[in-house]
Amino acid sequence: MFYYISFLRPPPTQAALSGEPIHITPQIANDLRTEYYTDVQDIFYSWALQSPTPSSSVITKPVKLTSWRASTMYKEIPVPPPRNACNGEYWRLILSSGTSRKDQVLSLNDENLGHRPFPVLSDPILFSTRPSKVVKQERIRRSYALTETNKDHPTIFHIIEQTSFDLDKKIWDSGIGLSSWLVQLHFGMVSNTALVSKAKNALFASKCAGTGIVAIVLGILRGLLDSPVSSGKIITTDLPSALPLLQSNINSSRSLYHPGNAPEGAVLDWDEPDISTQVASFVSGIDVIVMADVTYNTASFPALIGTLSWLIRFSMNIAPTKPPLIILGYKERDVAERTLWEMAEKIGIRFEEVAQVPGAEGTPVEVWVGTVSVNTQ
C-alpha cells in the first residue's frame, strides 16, 4: 500500500496579491482515500513559479507547514504566499514529506518506493491585484522521475489527476507499482528469470497495449534504449469519460518520447458487445497486454475475460504461434478477486508471479506475467 499527500480542501484558482495566506486542508490517505495515514508526518510546502521554460523555473525552499495527524485531518491550514510573487504570475503549491527537491518527485527507480507519502503539486494559482470569486481547483499534479545510469539528471514527467471523487481519474497503487517494476526491469534491477526476460523482450520490442501511467512510462523507457524502438505502437485504453485526461497526460510528456514511441489513447469498453469494432480501429496485432488494477470490481470479470479472450484470438489469427504475453499489476482489496486467475486459466492464460512492490505497509503490489497456450481457440 502507498500513501498519497493530497488536498481535502484544494487551493483556489486565484489569490489576492496582498500577502494574505491561502487556506487548504491537506490529507494523507491511500489511493482510494478510504484509509488514512495513522502515523505523525511532517508536511513541507514550497512554491514553484509557472514558467514557459524549465531553465527559468523558480522553486522556493521547502518549509514545514504542519504535522499531519489523523485526529486533526479536517483542520484548515493557512499557507503563506510566495514572497516575491508579482501581479499576473502563476505559482504551484507543492506539498511533500521532506525538505529536498528530491522529496518533491516520486522516483520510480527507488527500491524503497513508498516508504514515505507521495508528494503533490497544485494546479497553477494566479496571483492578482484584481478581486475575484473564490473557485477551488479541480486538478492536481504529481511528478515522477526515471534515473538513468551515468546521467546527472533524471527524466521527469508529470501526471494530472482530478480532485473530485471520480476514482477513474486518479492514479492507483497498481499503476505506480507496476511502473516501478518496469523501470527496474529496464535498468536491470530485477532478477532475470526466463519469464522475466520474455516479458522484457516483449515490452521493449514492437507493439504494446497498456493503460494510463504505465503506458507513459513504457513510452519513455522505449526511447531510452541504446537503440530506441521506432516501430509498433503503445495503445493505452480507457472509457470515453477518462480519455481527455489520459490524452492530456500523454501530451504533457511528448518531448520525452523517441519518435514513434508516444502512446496513443483509445476507447476500449469491456461491456461493448462488438469488441472487434473498437480494437480494429487502433491496432493490427498485439505482442503484450499490460493491465494495472483491473480487479477492483469482480462483477466486471466476465467482461474482462471476454475482452482478453477476443484480444488473444485476434492476435493469434495474425501470428498463430506467437500469442501475446499478459502482464498484470495487482493489489488485493478483496480475496474474491483471486477468482480472476481461475477464469483466466479457462481461456488458456496461466499467470506466474514475478515480483512484489511492498510500498509503505499492508498489501503489496504484485506483478504477474501470463502466458497463453498456443492451442487456445
Side-chain angles (χ1 to χ4, degrees), residues 168-183:
D168 62 332
K169 298 179 179 66
K170 290 181 172 64
I171 294 294
W172 290 9
D173 281 7
S174 292
I176 291 178
L178 180 55
S179 295
S180 177
W181 182 77
L182 292 174
V183 171

mmCIF file of all heavy atoms in Angstrom, residues 168-183:
data_model
loop_
_atom_site.group_PDB
_atom_site.id
_atom_site.type_symbol
_atom_site.label_atom_id
_atom_site.label_comp_id
_atom_site.label_asym_id
_atom_site.label_seq_id
_atom_site.Cartn_x
_atom_site.Cartn_y
_atom_site.Cartn_z
ATOM 1 N N ASP A 168 -11.804 6.917 -11.370
ATOM 2 C CA ASP A 168 -11.162 6.544 -12.628
ATOM 3 C C ASP A 168 -10.234 7.639 -13.134
ATOM 4 O O ASP A 168 -9.521 7.445 -14.114
ATOM 5 C CB ASP A 168 -12.220 6.217 -13.692
ATOM 6 C CG ASP A 168 -13.116 7.406 -14.022
ATOM 7 O OD1 ASP A 168 -13.299 8.263 -13.147
ATOM 8 O OD2 ASP A 168 -13.637 7.458 -15.154
ATOM 9 N N LYS A 169 -10.213 8.788 -12.477
ATOM 10 C CA LYS A 169 -9.355 9.894 -12.903
ATOM 11 C C LYS A 169 -8.251 10.160 -11.881
ATOM 12 O O LYS A 169 -7.786 11.278 -11.710
ATOM 13 C CB LYS A 169 -10.195 11.143 -13.146
ATOM 14 C CG LYS A 169 -11.234 10.960 -14.252
ATOM 15 C CD LYS A 169 -12.068 12.206 -14.454
ATOM 16 C CE LYS A 169 -13.080 12.014 -15.580
ATOM 17 N NZ LYS A 169 -14.100 11.000 -15.248
ATOM 18 N N LYS A 170 -7.839 9.094 -11.176
ATOM 19 C CA LYS A 170 -6.758 9.161 -10.209
ATOM 20 C C LYS A 170 -5.789 7.998 -10.454
ATOM 21 O O LYS A 170 -6.146 6.978 -11.028
ATOM 22 C CB LYS A 170 -7.303 9.064 -8.774
ATOM 23 C CG LYS A 170 -8.083 10.290 -8.305
ATOM 24 C CD LYS A 170 -8.553 10.114 -6.872
ATOM 25 C CE LYS A 170 -9.158 11.387 -6.306
ATOM 26 N NZ LYS A 170 -10.366 11.792 -7.006
ATOM 27 N N ILE A 171 -4.564 8.194 -9.995
ATOM 28 C CA ILE A 171 -3.572 7.126 -10.058
ATOM 29 C C ILE A 171 -3.816 6.162 -8.908
ATOM 30 O O ILE A 171 -4.044 6.572 -7.775
ATOM 31 C CB ILE A 171 -2.147 7.709 -9.955
ATOM 32 C CG1 ILE A 171 -1.832 8.560 -11.181
ATOM 33 C CG2 ILE A 171 -1.123 6.596 -9.806
ATOM 34 C CD1 ILE A 171 -1.761 7.789 -12.472
ATOM 35 N N TRP A 172 -3.757 4.859 -9.195
ATOM 36 C CA TRP A 172 -3.931 3.833 -8.177
ATOM 37 C C TRP A 172 -2.604 3.117 -7.935
ATOM 38 O O TRP A 172 -1.680 3.165 -8.759
ATOM 39 C CB TRP A 172 -4.993 2.823 -8.614
ATOM 40 C CG TRP A 172 -6.392 3.365 -8.615
ATOM 41 C CD1 TRP A 172 -6.773 4.679 -8.441
ATOM 42 C CD2 TRP A 172 -7.602 2.629 -8.801
ATOM 43 N NE1 TRP A 172 -8.140 4.782 -8.514
ATOM 44 C CE2 TRP A 172 -8.680 3.543 -8.733
ATOM 45 C CE3 TRP A 172 -7.875 1.285 -9.015
ATOM 46 C CZ2 TRP A 172 -9.995 3.157 -8.863
ATOM 47 C CZ3 TRP A 172 -9.202 0.895 -9.150
ATOM 48 C CH2 TRP A 172 -10.247 1.817 -9.077
ATOM 49 N N ASP A 173 -2.538 2.416 -6.802
ATOM 50 C CA ASP A 173 -1.302 1.754 -6.388
ATOM 51 C C ASP A 173 -0.714 0.841 -7.454
ATOM 52 O O ASP A 173 0.496 0.843 -7.684
ATOM 53 C CB ASP A 173 -1.563 0.909 -5.126
ATOM 54 C CG ASP A 173 -1.593 1.757 -3.859
ATOM 55 O OD1 ASP A 173 -1.541 2.998 -3.958
ATOM 56 O OD2 ASP A 173 -1.684 1.164 -2.764
ATOM 57 N N SER A 174 -1.546 0.041 -8.093
ATOM 58 C CA SER A 174 -1.022 -0.942 -9.042
ATOM 59 C C SER A 174 -0.336 -0.282 -10.230
ATOM 60 O O SER A 174 0.643 -0.809 -10.767
ATOM 61 C CB SER A 174 -2.130 -1.877 -9.523
ATOM 62 O OG SER A 174 -2.563 -2.700 -8.476
ATOM 63 N N GLY A 175 -0.849 0.871 -10.664
ATOM 64 C CA GLY A 175 -0.219 1.585 -11.767
ATOM 65 C C GLY A 175 1.178 2.056 -11.401
ATOM 66 O O GLY A 175 2.120 1.941 -12.199
ATOM 67 N N ILE A 176 1.331 2.577 -10.179
ATOM 68 C CA ILE A 176 2.644 3.035 -9.737
ATOM 69 C C ILE A 176 3.560 1.838 -9.481
ATOM 70 O O ILE A 176 4.735 1.831 -9.883
ATOM 71 C CB ILE A 176 2.514 3.901 -8.474
ATOM 72 C CG1 ILE A 176 1.824 5.237 -8.822
ATOM 73 C CG2 ILE A 176 3.882 4.166 -7.854
ATOM 74 C CD1 ILE A 176 1.604 6.146 -7.649
ATOM 75 N N GLY A 177 3.046 0.809 -8.805
ATOM 76 C CA GLY A 177 3.865 -0.363 -8.514
ATOM 77 C C GLY A 177 4.352 -1.051 -9.773
ATOM 78 O O GLY A 177 5.531 -1.425 -9.888
ATOM 79 N N LEU A 178 3.453 -1.229 -10.745
ATOM 80 C CA LEU A 178 3.840 -1.876 -11.994
ATOM 81 C C LEU A 178 4.810 -0.992 -12.784
ATOM 82 O O LEU A 178 5.780 -1.491 -13.371
ATOM 83 C CB LEU A 178 2.592 -2.177 -12.838
ATOM 84 C CG LEU A 178 2.827 -2.867 -14.184
ATOM 85 C CD1 LEU A 178 3.623 -4.155 -14.018
ATOM 86 C CD2 LEU A 178 1.493 -3.153 -14.877
ATOM 87 N N SER A 179 4.592 0.324 -12.786
ATOM 88 C CA SER A 179 5.506 1.233 -13.474
ATOM 89 C C SER A 179 6.897 1.166 -12.867
ATOM 90 O O SER A 179 7.909 1.166 -13.581
ATOM 91 C CB SER A 179 4.969 2.674 -13.398
ATOM 92 O OG SER A 179 3.758 2.800 -14.088
ATOM 93 N N SER A 180 6.964 1.100 -11.533
ATOM 94 C CA SER A 180 8.262 0.997 -10.862
ATOM 95 C C SER A 180 8.971 -0.290 -11.270
ATOM 96 O O SER A 180 10.184 -0.291 -11.537
ATOM 97 C CB SER A 180 8.056 1.031 -9.344
ATOM 98 O OG SER A 180 9.282 0.870 -8.666
ATOM 99 N N TRP A 181 8.224 -1.387 -11.349
ATOM 100 C CA TRP A 181 8.832 -2.655 -11.759
ATOM 101 C C TRP A 181 9.337 -2.572 -13.194
ATOM 102 O O TRP A 181 10.417 -3.084 -13.511
ATOM 103 C CB TRP A 181 7.823 -3.791 -11.619
ATOM 104 C CG TRP A 181 8.386 -5.137 -11.980
ATOM 105 C CD1 TRP A 181 9.208 -5.920 -11.229
ATOM 106 C CD2 TRP A 181 8.184 -5.850 -13.220
ATOM 107 N NE1 TRP A 181 9.526 -7.086 -11.902
ATOM 108 C CE2 TRP A 181 8.910 -7.068 -13.129
ATOM 109 C CE3 TRP A 181 7.452 -5.584 -14.369
ATOM 110 C CZ2 TRP A 181 8.927 -8.000 -14.157
ATOM 111 C CZ3 TRP A 181 7.477 -6.518 -15.396
ATOM 112 C CH2 TRP A 181 8.207 -7.709 -15.291
ATOM 113 N N LEU A 182 8.597 -1.926 -14.066
ATOM 114 C CA LEU A 182 9.023 -1.778 -15.461
ATOM 115 C C LEU A 182 10.320 -0.986 -15.552
ATOM 116 O O LEU A 182 11.208 -1.309 -16.348
ATOM 117 C CB LEU A 182 7.928 -1.083 -16.278
ATOM 118 C CG LEU A 182 6.638 -1.868 -16.499
ATOM 119 C CD1 LEU A 182 5.604 -0.996 -17.192
ATOM 120 C CD2 LEU A 182 6.893 -3.132 -17.295
ATOM 121 N N VAL A 183 10.422 0.074 -14.736
ATOM 122 C CA VAL A 183 11.647 0.870 -14.722
ATOM 123 C C VAL A 183 12.819 0.028 -14.235
ATOM 124 O O VAL A 183 13.902 0.033 -14.826
ATOM 125 C CB VAL A 183 11.465 2.121 -13.831
ATOM 126 C CG1 VAL A 183 12.797 2.846 -13.636
ATOM 127 C CG2 VAL A 183 10.446 3.075 -14.449
#
